[in-house]
Amino acid sequence: MPASAAPQDRPVLDTLWFTRCPVPTATGIAADRGWLAAEFAADGLVVRSLQDAGPDVPRDRHFTHALTGLVREGGNVPALWARASGEPTRLVGLTWIEERQAILVRAEDRERISGPGDLAGSRVAIPRRDIAIDFWRAMALAGLHGALAAAGLGLGDVVPVEVVVAPSAGQWKTELEALRDGRVDAVYVKGALAVEAAAAHDAVIGVDLDAFHDPSVRVNNGTPRPVTVHQDLLDRHPDLVVRFLRVLVEAADWAAARPGELARILAAETGAGPAGVAGAYRGAGSADLRLDLSAHRLELLARQERFLRGQGFLAGPVDVAAWAAPEPLAAARSLATTR
């Protein structure tokens, strides 16, 4: 971890920002419990969620990470994209949360498409949104790639059908409408809202990606999910990064012991009801939010980096091992142990 600057040499930092995706995160747990604000109150630091910021702070910072005082826990597609585009971020943690991933089909096609090999020749939905980094498109491609690879197939073995989606459209709604109307045969989905959307559109699971023992089948935007910080924050305020991560370590441990409370918080974070949360996270008790930077998780992220670069989502390569900064998490764990 970079050496800490002398106090008189540090720029004034009055706000520490955090942002997370609407998915299970340790950041979301810590925010719900009020622990982040409490941790830094004595320092005179205001801790603010980017999602609650006013118009003075552009929301696209969630994707670009062009805000030096920001800690981000969210999908790896924008995180890798920002790093590949030149933003000097550092990877300080990874989670792996099994949340429902599936290829949905129409009910009448369930017998015809009941495994990954049956996708050959099928028309598959490839969404396109007019946003800076189309992580929805990346998710669909990665999900289909994982499913097809399980049967020794590739994206060239299916028929891609572009589905234009308005940026403000509900999750999976446009794609599932295309499935319902017969314009496509299969749609990749993930998460709690996908469980609800599938039920609303009478779609059923054709390929259950969660059923495969090999986790590489499920490598996608949220698996593994990174925690990143700006290099400037790590250089100038390494102690704040360690303390922030210590709160996340404790929040993950707290959540692991309280599945009932975790389910309530997941519903608030994802915007889904109890059925969606239970369907996506197996009753929420298996949603392990603990941070890790093991060689295995880094390799899974490197696999995702290679896929995204091959599909043209990244401006250049990202050396995942060099991107990682393991020292803050190690220090945070040590700090949590002594409390």
Side-chain angles (χ1 to χ4, degrees), residues 54-72:
D56 55 315
V57 180
R59 296 299 178 86
D60 70 350
R61 299 301 188 263
H62 175 77
F63 303 105
T64 67
H65 210 132
L67 184 62
T68 57
L70 178 67
V71 181
R72 180 186 188 276

PDB file of all heavy atoms in Angstrom, residues 54-72:
ATOM      1  N   GLY A  54     -26.908  15.228  -5.576  1.00  0.00           N
ATOM      2  CA  GLY A  54     -27.657  16.217  -6.335  1.00  0.00           C
ATOM      3  C   GLY A  54     -27.104  16.367  -7.735  1.00  0.00           C
ATOM      4  O   GLY A  54     -26.175  15.660  -8.148  1.00  0.00           O
ATOM      5  N   PRO A  55     -27.628  17.331  -8.502  1.00  0.00           N
ATOM      6  CA  PRO A  55     -27.204  17.521  -9.886  1.00  0.00           C
ATOM      7  C   PRO A  55     -25.765  18.005 -10.023  1.00  0.00           C
ATOM      8  O   PRO A  55     -25.209  18.002 -11.119  1.00  0.00           O
ATOM      9  CB  PRO A  55     -28.195  18.573 -10.414  1.00  0.00           C
ATOM     10  CG  PRO A  55     -28.692  19.274  -9.197  1.00  0.00           C
ATOM     11  CD  PRO A  55     -28.715  18.254  -8.112  1.00  0.00           C
ATOM     12  N   ASP A  56     -25.156  18.411  -8.912  1.00  0.00           N
ATOM     13  CA  ASP A  56     -23.775  18.895  -8.968  1.00  0.00           C
ATOM     14  C   ASP A  56     -22.773  17.757  -9.156  1.00  0.00           C
ATOM     15  O   ASP A  56     -21.616  17.991  -9.513  1.00  0.00           O
ATOM     16  CB  ASP A  56     -23.430  19.665  -7.687  1.00  0.00           C
ATOM     17  CG  ASP A  56     -23.674  18.831  -6.439  1.00  0.00           C
ATOM     18  OD1 ASP A  56     -24.735  18.190  -6.367  1.00  0.00           O
ATOM     19  OD2 ASP A  56     -22.816  18.837  -5.539  1.00  0.00           O
ATOM     20  N   VAL A  57     -23.215  16.526  -8.916  1.00  0.00           N
ATOM     21  CA  VAL A  57     -22.336  15.363  -9.099  1.00  0.00           C
ATOM     22  C   VAL A  57     -22.945  14.463 -10.163  1.00  0.00           C
ATOM     23  O   VAL A  57     -23.972  13.827  -9.933  1.00  0.00           O
ATOM     24  CB  VAL A  57     -22.167  14.578  -7.782  1.00  0.00           C
ATOM     25  CG1 VAL A  57     -21.255  13.379  -8.000  1.00  0.00           C
ATOM     26  CG2 VAL A  57     -21.621  15.477  -6.685  1.00  0.00           C
ATOM     27  N   PRO A  58     -22.330  14.395 -11.347  1.00  0.00           N
ATOM     28  CA  PRO A  58     -22.893  13.569 -12.433  1.00  0.00           C
ATOM     29  C   PRO A  58     -23.009  12.103 -12.028  1.00  0.00           C
ATOM     30  O   PRO A  58     -22.076  11.527 -11.465  1.00  0.00           O
ATOM     31  CB  PRO A  58     -21.882  13.751 -13.576  1.00  0.00           C
ATOM     32  CG  PRO A  58     -21.177  15.038 -13.267  1.00  0.00           C
ATOM     33  CD  PRO A  58     -21.125  15.111 -11.776  1.00  0.00           C
ATOM     34  N   ARG A  59     -24.145  11.501 -12.326  1.00  0.00           N
ATOM     35  CA  ARG A  59     -24.369  10.103 -11.964  1.00  0.00           C
ATOM     36  C   ARG A  59     -23.494   9.144 -12.754  1.00  0.00           C
ATOM     37  O   ARG A  59     -23.315   7.990 -12.344  1.00  0.00           O
ATOM     38  CB  ARG A  59     -25.851   9.757 -12.171  1.00  0.00           C
ATOM     39  CG  ARG A  59     -26.806  10.537 -11.273  1.00  0.00           C
ATOM     40  CD  ARG A  59     -26.541  10.268  -9.798  1.00  0.00           C
ATOM     41  NE  ARG A  59     -27.419  11.050  -8.932  1.00  0.00           N
ATOM     42  CZ  ARG A  59     -28.630  10.662  -8.569  1.00  0.00           C
ATOM     43  NH1 ARG A  59     -29.113   9.514  -9.002  1.00  0.00           N
ATOM     44  NH2 ARG A  59     -29.355  11.419  -7.778  1.00  0.00           N
ATOM     45  N   ASP A  60     -22.972   9.600 -13.892  1.00  0.00           N
ATOM     46  CA  ASP A  60     -22.159   8.675 -14.686  1.00  0.00           C
ATOM     47  C   ASP A  60     -20.845   8.320 -13.998  1.00  0.00           C
ATOM     48  O   ASP A  60     -20.123   7.436 -14.446  1.00  0.00           O
ATOM     49  CB  ASP A  60     -21.904   9.235 -16.085  1.00  0.00           C
ATOM     50  CG  ASP A  60     -20.969  10.448 -16.091  1.00  0.00           C
ATOM     51  OD1 ASP A  60     -20.650  10.985 -15.010  1.00  0.00           O
ATOM     52  OD2 ASP A  60     -20.577  10.865 -17.195  1.00  0.00           O
ATOM     53  N   ARG A  61     -20.541   8.999 -12.881  1.00  0.00           N
ATOM     54  CA  ARG A  61     -19.336   8.646 -12.129  1.00  0.00           C
ATOM     55  C   ARG A  61     -19.413   7.220 -11.599  1.00  0.00           C
ATOM     56  O   ARG A  61     -18.390   6.620 -11.290  1.00  0.00           O
ATOM     57  CB  ARG A  61     -19.114   9.631 -10.967  1.00  0.00           C
ATOM     58  CG  ARG A  61     -18.918  11.087 -11.399  1.00  0.00           C
ATOM     59  CD  ARG A  61     -17.712  11.239 -12.328  1.00  0.00           C
ATOM     60  NE  ARG A  61     -17.415  12.630 -12.600  1.00  0.00           N
ATOM     61  CZ  ARG A  61     -17.796  13.313 -13.667  1.00  0.00           C
ATOM     62  NH1 ARG A  61     -18.527  12.691 -14.598  1.00  0.00           N
ATOM     63  NH2 ARG A  61     -17.448  14.572 -13.845  1.00  0.00           N
ATOM     64  N   HIS A  62     -20.617   6.701 -11.473  1.00  0.00           N
ATOM     65  CA  HIS A  62     -20.782   5.305 -11.066  1.00  0.00           C
ATOM     66  C   HIS A  62     -20.112   4.376 -12.075  1.00  0.00           C
ATOM     67  O   HIS A  62     -19.606   3.307 -11.705  1.00  0.00           O
ATOM     68  CB  HIS A  62     -22.276   4.965 -10.959  1.00  0.00           C
ATOM     69  CG  HIS A  62     -22.552   3.524 -10.667  1.00  0.00           C
ATOM     70  ND1 HIS A  62     -22.413   2.965  -9.414  1.00  0.00           N
ATOM     71  CD2 HIS A  62     -22.943   2.502 -11.482  1.00  0.00           C
ATOM     72  CE1 HIS A  62     -22.723   1.674  -9.465  1.00  0.00           C
ATOM     73  NE2 HIS A  62     -23.042   1.373 -10.705  1.00  0.00           N
ATOM     74  N   PHE A  63     -20.096   4.778 -13.338  1.00  0.00           N
ATOM     75  CA  PHE A  63     -19.491   3.964 -14.385  1.00  0.00           C
ATOM     76  C   PHE A  63     -18.058   4.388 -14.689  1.00  0.00           C
ATOM     77  O   PHE A  63     -17.187   3.541 -14.860  1.00  0.00           O
ATOM     78  CB  PHE A  63     -20.337   4.031 -15.653  1.00  0.00           C
ATOM     79  CG  PHE A  63     -21.759   3.593 -15.447  1.00  0.00           C
ATOM     80  CD1 PHE A  63     -22.794   4.503 -15.390  1.00  0.00           C
ATOM     81  CD2 PHE A  63     -22.061   2.250 -15.287  1.00  0.00           C
ATOM     82  CE1 PHE A  63     -24.107   4.098 -15.186  1.00  0.00           C
ATOM     83  CE2 PHE A  63     -23.370   1.826 -15.078  1.00  0.00           C
ATOM     84  CZ  PHE A  63     -24.394   2.756 -15.035  1.00  0.00           C
ATOM     85  N   THR A  64     -17.812   5.703 -14.765  1.00  0.00           N
ATOM     86  CA  THR A  64     -16.484   6.185 -15.148  1.00  0.00           C
ATOM     87  C   THR A  64     -15.491   6.199 -14.002  1.00  0.00           C
ATOM     88  O   THR A  64     -14.290   6.198 -14.224  1.00  0.00           O
ATOM     89  CB  THR A  64     -16.582   7.606 -15.715  1.00  0.00           C
ATOM     90  OG1 THR A  64     -16.984   8.514 -14.665  1.00  0.00           O
ATOM     91  CG2 THR A  64     -17.588   7.685 -16.859  1.00  0.00           C
ATOM     92  N   HIS A  65     -15.986   6.256 -12.769  1.00  0.00           N
ATOM     93  CA  HIS A  65     -15.171   6.371 -11.564  1.00  0.00           C
ATOM     94  C   HIS A  65     -14.293   7.627 -11.600  1.00  0.00           C
ATOM     95  O   HIS A  65     -13.214   7.664 -10.991  1.00  0.00           O
ATOM     96  CB  HIS A  65     -14.302   5.127 -11.341  1.00  0.00           C
ATOM     97  CG  HIS A  65     -14.019   4.860  -9.891  1.00  0.00           C
ATOM     98  ND1 HIS A  65     -14.172   3.623  -9.308  1.00  0.00           N
ATOM     99  CD2 HIS A  65     -13.620   5.678  -8.886  1.00  0.00           C
ATOM    100  CE1 HIS A  65     -13.859   3.687  -8.023  1.00  0.00           C
ATOM    101  NE2 HIS A  65     -13.517   4.936  -7.748  1.00  0.00           N
ATOM    102  N   ALA A  66     -14.736   8.642 -12.316  1.00  0.00           N
ATOM    103  CA  ALA A  66     -13.982   9.890 -12.407  1.00  0.00           C
ATOM    104  C   ALA A  66     -14.316  10.800 -11.218  1.00  0.00           C
ATOM    105  O   ALA A  66     -14.668  11.971 -11.376  1.00  0.00           O
ATOM    106  CB  ALA A  66     -14.293  10.595 -13.722  1.00  0.00           C
ATOM    107  N   LEU A  67     -14.207  10.248 -10.028  1.00  0.00           N
ATOM    108  CA  LEU A  67     -14.442  10.961  -8.781  1.00  0.00           C
ATOM    109  C   LEU A  67     -13.458  10.362  -7.793  1.00  0.00           C
ATOM    110  O   LEU A  67     -13.590   9.209  -7.384  1.00  0.00           O
ATOM    111  CB  LEU A  67     -15.893  10.768  -8.321  1.00  0.00           C
ATOM    112  CG  LEU A  67     -16.364  11.521  -7.085  1.00  0.00           C
ATOM    113  CD1 LEU A  67     -16.289  13.031  -7.297  1.00  0.00           C
ATOM    114  CD2 LEU A  67     -17.795  11.120  -6.731  1.00  0.00           C
ATOM    115  N   THR A  68     -12.456  11.144  -7.420  1.00  0.00           N
ATOM    116  CA  THR A  68     -11.329  10.558  -6.688  1.00  0.00           C
ATOM    117  C   THR A  68     -11.699  10.049  -5.302  1.00  0.00           C
ATOM    118  O   THR A  68     -11.093   9.103  -4.806  1.00  0.00           O
ATOM    119  CB  THR A  68     -10.189  11.578  -6.562  1.00  0.00           C
ATOM    120  OG1 THR A  68     -10.675  12.760  -5.904  1.00  0.00           O
ATOM    121  CG2 THR A  68      -9.651  11.956  -7.938  1.00  0.00           C
ATOM    122  N   GLY A  69     -12.704  10.637  -4.663  1.00  0.00           N
ATOM    123  CA  GLY A  69     -13.082  10.215  -3.325  1.00  0.00           C
ATOM    124  C   GLY A  69     -14.138   9.144  -3.298  1.00  0.00           C
ATOM    125  O   GLY A  69     -14.879   9.031  -2.317  1.00  0.00           O
ATOM    126  N   LEU A  70     -14.234   8.330  -4.349  1.00  0.00           N
ATOM    127  CA  LEU A  70     -15.310   7.355  -4.503  1.00  0.00           C
ATOM    128  C   LEU A  70     -14.834   5.927  -4.265  1.00  0.00           C
ATOM    129  O   LEU A  70     -13.794   5.517  -4.769  1.00  0.00           O
ATOM    130  CB  LEU A  70     -15.893   7.458  -5.919  1.00  0.00           C
ATOM    131  CG  LEU A  70     -17.006   6.474  -6.296  1.00  0.00           C
ATOM    132  CD1 LEU A  70     -18.277   6.752  -5.498  1.00  0.00           C
ATOM    133  CD2 LEU A  70     -17.303   6.551  -7.799  1.00  0.00           C
ATOM    134  N   VAL A  71     -15.630   5.175  -3.491  1.00  0.00           N
ATOM    135  CA  VAL A  71     -15.450   3.735  -3.355  1.00  0.00           C
ATOM    136  C   VAL A  71     -16.629   3.080  -4.066  1.00  0.00           C
ATOM    137  O   VAL A  71     -17.779   3.375  -3.760  1.00  0.00           O
ATOM    138  CB  VAL A  71     -15.414   3.299  -1.883  1.00  0.00           C
ATOM    139  CG1 VAL A  71     -15.190   1.782  -1.782  1.00  0.00           C
ATOM    140  CG2 VAL A  71     -14.326   4.045  -1.124  1.00  0.00           C
ATOM    141  N   ARG A  72     -16.342   2.199  -5.009  1.00  0.00           N
ATOM    142  CA  ARG A  72     -17.391   1.595  -5.832  1.00  0.00           C
ATOM    143  C   ARG A  72     -17.443   0.094  -5.632  1.00  0.00           C
ATOM    144  O   ARG A  72     -16.412  -0.586  -5.711  1.00  0.00           O
ATOM    145  CB  ARG A  72     -17.139   1.886  -7.321  1.00  0.00           C
ATOM    146  CG  ARG A  72     -18.193   1.302  -8.263  1.00  0.00           C
ATOM    147  CD  ARG A  72     -17.806   1.509  -9.724  1.00  0.00           C
ATOM    148  NE  ARG A  72     -18.888   1.115 -10.615  1.00  0.00           N
ATOM    149  CZ  ARG A  72     -19.114  -0.133 -11.034  1.00  0.00           C
ATOM    150  NH1 ARG A  72     -18.315  -1.122 -10.639  1.00  0.00           N
ATOM    151  NH2 ARG A  72     -20.129  -0.392 -11.847  1.00  0.00           N
TER     152      ARG A  72
END
